Amino acid sequence: MNIQRCLPVGNDYLLGLLASCLVALVILTEEVVTKGAPQVFTNSFLVEFNNDVTREQADKVARDHGFDNAGPLLRSKREFHFIHKGLPATRSKRSIPHHRNLKTDPQIKLVAQQPGYKRTKRGYRPLISKGQVPLDKTQEPTDPYFKFQWYLKNDGSMGGKPKLDLNVEAAWAQGATGKNVTTAIMDDGIDYLHPDLKFNYNARASYDFSSNDPFPYPRYTDDWFNSHGTRCAGEVAAARDNGVCGVGVAYDSKVAGIRMLDQPYMTDLIEANSMGHEPNLIDIYSASWGPTDDGKTVDGPRNATMRAIVKGVNEGRNGLGNIYVWASGDGGEDDDCNADGYAASMWTVSINSAINDGQNAHYDESCTSTLASTFSNGGGDPKTGVATTDLYGRCTKTHSGTSAAAPEAAGVYALAIEVNRNLTWRDIQHLTVLTSKRNSLYDGKGYFKWQMNGVGLEFNHLFGYGVLDAGAIVAMAKEWKTVPQRFHCDGGKINKTLAIPSNGSLTLYIDTHACKGTENEVNYLEHVQAVITLNSTRRGEVVMHLESPMKTRSMILSQRPNDDDHTDGFSKWPFMTTHTWGENPRGRWRLEVKFHVPGQNTGFIKEWNLLLHGTKDAPYKNLAAPDPHSKLAMVKKAHEDRR
């Protein structure tokens, strides 16, 4: 059962070409996602032509059959998004007549009516607007809400711990303000007329995929529900010293609005085109949403969306790769963000949150795919949230949730990219690991302690590698040398049905050489995926730990008490950990599977495939470590000692 196989792939571009073959390993199929739940179908259709066609030719075919052509999928010359406005936006059954109508055209190869599914904003809170306060004329930003932005400068005055913040002033002092960097806010629209945003708005990079026009302005509702995107945008790029609201982390950067959340049901085509929109104009995509955070949903990107993300990291930013920043989720301790295929993807940067006294927020999910943390609520006063822009020129102090955390991270990355335009998507992840700080972060309930992995990197199951440090990441980015080529090794597979004991645990082992001596050799880990198929009488009671050869133990799945599934289980689900970053993968990997409460459930694990992602060459050998006690120095020494 200790099998060693290597994928015939040498880089991320080739991996992208194989995405359709790997879809079972990295996403849920449509059948698995919708099994056991009422199906919903939209009036959108994916139409694939036999040969390349122009936009005008596709428009004509759409008109001939009574459809509107909403445009190509990911700039394809064969795949297009057709909409039939005569059909209801959602219905319970597929429209066979409309499908047949399109299929009668000899130019068309494939027609797929798009299922609808739910995607929810993370951290939405009802609006509480406050009037502006007089300017505070100091050397700090003069914006009236800056004194409420404790996540930028925490002086302890709002019940927080002094210096527990993003350390942005250290980055600004180095001249980093985000110039010529664009972050796309994929959300419910942006109030691009807001006086704190209008001069930093990138109209060329913006689009409304909910209404199919270039004006992603939020749709008005009485409860201002669609203020979410505007609030996120202000965290990134609100202007400085203009007397309005607060200041953005990267206040000279640009924001683009991608309106894609504001419809009853999401489709794969809308998600895919949103994540692939203008990849050479957009540097960072910020997403503060995901599958429903109810503690029982297991869901992730569909085929076209996964293709868009893989294409973005391989080809976006003119080959450097787009950065996808994701809010880890607001399901609290009853959920696990490794059951969210967006946050748990190795192609996204999953960001959790902390409150201003160092604890995790009550809604924070935990999982091994979280890379780092930023901030959301204040601790002493639950109304002390994130101060930022709001709809119609107003301001708010109550933005919160991991929704608020992800845009802060996007702003920090904009600062790093400004000082080093050659940073790749992987460089951003390496910089995050090396510069994030433990600071004063801690689990208020005492469940998760800080641990050290095999090369001396400190991590926490809640906070990843710590809170982002803008000053440190900018300083290191200036001297950064791009990391070596990345490889993908199939480290081994157990393909046998084995019972999970009702009492006790099932332990499986894979001994791997990590593709040593082949073109896909991995000696220094980045991400590790345990692709698992299992079923049990109650899915939410299954708990799994993965232990590396260097004895780093990752809880890749925790108890989810609301998840009572007994039919779907997990089908080739890629549980991902970042906790073994920098380690040598060669040796014995140990998977432990058990039930949280003994004696009440039964189940079977049917497959475990170990996928190792990292470099053959040492990633930091060309970097100087001026501080002998820094993370960089410790990891370099661990790598040198190993050789």
Short mmCIF file of all heavy atoms in Angstrom, two decimals, residues 181-183 192 197-207 216 253-257 281-283:
data_model
loop_
_atom_site.label_atom_id
_atom_site.label_comp_id
_atom_site.label_asym_id
_atom_site.label_seq_id
_atom_site.Cartn_x
_atom_site.Cartn_y
_atom_site.Cartn_z
N VAL A 181 -0.87 49.47 -8.20
CA VAL A 181 -1.33 48.10 -7.90
C VAL A 181 -2.85 48.14 -7.82
O VAL A 181 -3.43 49.04 -7.21
CB VAL A 181 -0.74 47.58 -6.57
CG1 VAL A 181 -1.23 46.16 -6.30
CG2 VAL A 181 0.78 47.63 -6.60
N THR A 182 -3.51 47.16 -8.44
CA THR A 182 -4.98 47.10 -8.46
C THR A 182 -5.48 45.86 -7.75
O THR A 182 -5.04 44.75 -8.04
CB THR A 182 -5.53 47.13 -9.89
OG1 THR A 182 -5.22 48.39 -10.50
CG2 THR A 182 -7.04 46.93 -9.91
N THR A 183 -6.41 46.07 -6.83
CA THR A 183 -7.11 44.98 -6.15
C THR A 183 -8.56 44.96 -6.61
O THR A 183 -9.24 45.99 -6.56
CB THR A 183 -7.07 45.15 -4.63
OG1 THR A 183 -5.71 45.11 -4.19
CG2 THR A 183 -7.85 44.05 -3.93
N TYR A 192 -18.43 53.55 -6.40
CA TYR A 192 -17.24 54.20 -6.97
C TYR A 192 -17.38 55.73 -7.05
O TYR A 192 -16.44 56.41 -7.46
CB TYR A 192 -16.93 53.63 -8.35
CG TYR A 192 -18.10 53.48 -9.30
CD1 TYR A 192 -18.62 54.58 -9.98
CD2 TYR A 192 -18.68 52.23 -9.50
CE1 TYR A 192 -19.70 54.43 -10.84
CE2 TYR A 192 -19.76 52.08 -10.36
CZ TYR A 192 -20.26 53.18 -11.03
OH TYR A 192 -21.32 53.03 -11.88
N LEU A 197 -13.17 56.97 -2.43
CA LEU A 197 -12.79 55.91 -3.36
C LEU A 197 -12.66 56.36 -4.81
O LEU A 197 -11.94 55.74 -5.59
CB LEU A 197 -13.83 54.77 -3.30
CG LEU A 197 -13.97 54.00 -1.99
CD1 LEU A 197 -15.14 53.01 -2.07
CD2 LEU A 197 -12.68 53.26 -1.64
N LYS A 198 -13.36 57.43 -5.18
CA LYS A 198 -13.53 57.73 -6.61
C LYS A 198 -12.22 58.00 -7.34
O LYS A 198 -12.10 57.68 -8.53
CB LYS A 198 -14.51 58.89 -6.80
CG LYS A 198 -14.07 60.22 -6.20
CD LYS A 198 -15.15 61.28 -6.43
CE LYS A 198 -14.76 62.62 -5.85
NZ LYS A 198 -15.82 63.64 -6.08
N PHE A 199 -11.21 58.55 -6.66
CA PHE A 199 -9.95 58.83 -7.34
C PHE A 199 -9.03 57.61 -7.36
O PHE A 199 -8.01 57.61 -8.05
CB PHE A 199 -9.25 60.02 -6.69
CG PHE A 199 -10.03 61.30 -6.82
CD1 PHE A 199 -10.55 61.93 -5.71
CD2 PHE A 199 -10.25 61.86 -8.07
CE1 PHE A 199 -11.28 63.10 -5.83
CE2 PHE A 199 -10.98 63.03 -8.21
CZ PHE A 199 -11.50 63.66 -7.09
N ASN A 200 -9.38 56.58 -6.61
CA ASN A 200 -8.60 55.34 -6.61
C ASN A 200 -9.36 54.20 -7.27
O ASN A 200 -9.00 53.03 -7.11
CB ASN A 200 -8.23 54.93 -5.17
CG ASN A 200 -7.11 55.80 -4.61
OD1 ASN A 200 -6.42 56.48 -5.35
ND2 ASN A 200 -6.94 55.78 -3.31
N TYR A 201 -10.39 54.53 -8.02
CA TYR A 201 -11.22 53.52 -8.68
C TYR A 201 -10.68 53.23 -10.07
O TYR A 201 -10.43 54.14 -10.86
CB TYR A 201 -12.66 54.00 -8.76
CG TYR A 201 -13.59 53.06 -9.49
CD1 TYR A 201 -13.88 51.81 -8.98
CD2 TYR A 201 -14.18 53.45 -10.69
CE1 TYR A 201 -14.75 50.95 -9.65
CE2 TYR A 201 -15.05 52.60 -11.36
CZ TYR A 201 -15.33 51.35 -10.84
OH TYR A 201 -16.18 50.50 -11.50
N ASN A 202 -10.48 51.94 -10.38
CA ASN A 202 -9.99 51.52 -11.69
C ASN A 202 -11.17 51.03 -12.52
O ASN A 202 -11.58 49.88 -12.41
CB ASN A 202 -8.94 50.41 -11.52
CG ASN A 202 -8.23 50.06 -12.83
OD1 ASN A 202 -8.78 50.29 -13.90
ND2 ASN A 202 -7.04 49.50 -12.74
N ALA A 203 -11.70 51.93 -13.34
CA ALA A 203 -12.89 51.58 -14.13
C ALA A 203 -12.57 50.56 -15.21
O ALA A 203 -13.39 49.70 -15.53
CB ALA A 203 -13.46 52.85 -14.77
N ARG A 204 -11.35 50.63 -15.78
CA ARG A 204 -10.98 49.70 -16.86
C ARG A 204 -10.99 48.25 -16.38
O ARG A 204 -11.24 47.33 -17.17
CB ARG A 204 -9.59 50.04 -17.40
CG ARG A 204 -9.51 51.31 -18.24
CD ARG A 204 -8.08 51.51 -18.72
NE ARG A 204 -7.61 50.40 -19.52
CZ ARG A 204 -6.36 49.96 -19.54
NH1 ARG A 204 -5.44 50.53 -18.75
NH2 ARG A 204 -6.00 48.96 -20.31
N ALA A 205 -10.68 48.05 -15.11
CA ALA A 205 -10.59 46.69 -14.58
C ALA A 205 -11.90 46.23 -13.93
O ALA A 205 -11.94 45.14 -13.35
CB ALA A 205 -9.44 46.60 -13.57
N SER A 206 -12.96 47.02 -14.02
CA SER A 206 -14.21 46.73 -13.31
C SER A 206 -15.28 46.19 -14.26
O SER A 206 -15.26 46.48 -15.47
CB SER A 206 -14.73 48.01 -12.63
OG SER A 206 -13.80 48.49 -11.68
N TYR A 207 -16.21 45.43 -13.69
CA TYR A 207 -17.33 44.93 -14.49
C TYR A 207 -18.42 44.42 -13.58
O TYR A 207 -18.17 43.99 -12.44
CB TYR A 207 -16.88 43.79 -15.42
CG TYR A 207 -17.87 43.54 -16.55
CD1 TYR A 207 -17.91 44.39 -17.65
CD2 TYR A 207 -18.76 42.48 -16.49
CE1 TYR A 207 -18.83 44.17 -18.67
CE2 TYR A 207 -19.68 42.25 -17.50
CZ TYR A 207 -19.71 43.12 -18.59
OH TYR A 207 -20.62 42.92 -19.60
N PRO A 216 -20.36 48.49 -11.97
CA PRO A 216 -20.68 47.62 -10.82
C PRO A 216 -21.14 48.38 -9.59
O PRO A 216 -20.60 48.22 -8.49
CB PRO A 216 -19.34 46.91 -10.57
CG PRO A 216 -18.31 47.92 -10.97
CD PRO A 216 -18.90 48.64 -12.16
N SER A 253 -3.22 52.86 -3.82
CA SER A 253 -3.49 51.79 -4.78
C SER A 253 -4.85 52.00 -5.43
O SER A 253 -5.60 52.92 -5.08
CB SER A 253 -3.45 50.42 -4.08
OG SER A 253 -4.54 50.29 -3.18
N LYS A 254 -5.18 51.14 -6.38
CA LYS A 254 -6.46 51.20 -7.08
C LYS A 254 -7.33 50.02 -6.66
O LYS A 254 -6.83 48.94 -6.33
CB LYS A 254 -6.24 51.15 -8.60
CG LYS A 254 -5.41 52.29 -9.16
CD LYS A 254 -6.13 53.62 -9.08
CE LYS A 254 -5.33 54.73 -9.75
NZ LYS A 254 -6.00 56.04 -9.62
N VAL A 255 -8.65 50.25 -6.71
CA VAL A 255 -9.59 49.15 -6.52
C VAL A 255 -10.48 49.04 -7.75
O VAL A 255 -10.86 50.05 -8.36
CB VAL A 255 -10.47 49.31 -5.27
CG1 VAL A 255 -9.70 49.00 -4.01
CG2 VAL A 255 -11.11 50.68 -5.20
N ALA A 256 -10.76 47.80 -8.13
CA ALA A 256 -11.73 47.52 -9.19
C ALA A 256 -12.94 46.88 -8.56
O ALA A 256 -12.83 46.13 -7.58
CB ALA A 256 -11.11 46.60 -10.24
N GLY A 257 -14.09 47.15 -9.11
CA GLY A 257 -15.32 46.52 -8.63
C GLY A 257 -15.73 45.40 -9.57
O GLY A 257 -15.87 45.61 -10.78
N LEU A 281 -4.61 43.41 -15.78
CA LEU A 281 -4.85 44.73 -15.17
C LEU A 281 -5.01 44.61 -13.65
O LEU A 281 -4.73 45.55 -12.92
CB LEU A 281 -6.11 45.37 -15.75
CG LEU A 281 -6.09 45.76 -17.23
CD1 LEU A 281 -7.43 46.39 -17.62
CD2 LEU A 281 -4.95 46.71 -17.53
N ILE A 282 -5.45 43.45 -13.22
CA ILE A 282 -5.69 43.20 -11.79
C ILE A 282 -4.54 42.40 -11.21
O ILE A 282 -4.12 41.38 -11.77
CB ILE A 282 -7.02 42.46 -11.60
CG1 ILE A 282 -8.20 43.34 -12.04
CG2 ILE A 282 -7.20 42.00 -10.16
CD1 ILE A 282 -9.52 42.62 -12.15
N ASP A 283 -4.03 42.85 -10.07
CA ASP A 283 -2.96 42.13 -9.38
C ASP A 283 -3.52 41.16 -8.34
O ASP A 283 -3.06 40.03 -8.22
CB ASP A 283 -2.02 43.12 -8.69
CG ASP A 283 -1.34 44.06 -9.67
OD1 ASP A 283 -0.40 43.60 -10.36
OD2 ASP A 283 -1.75 45.23 -9.76
#
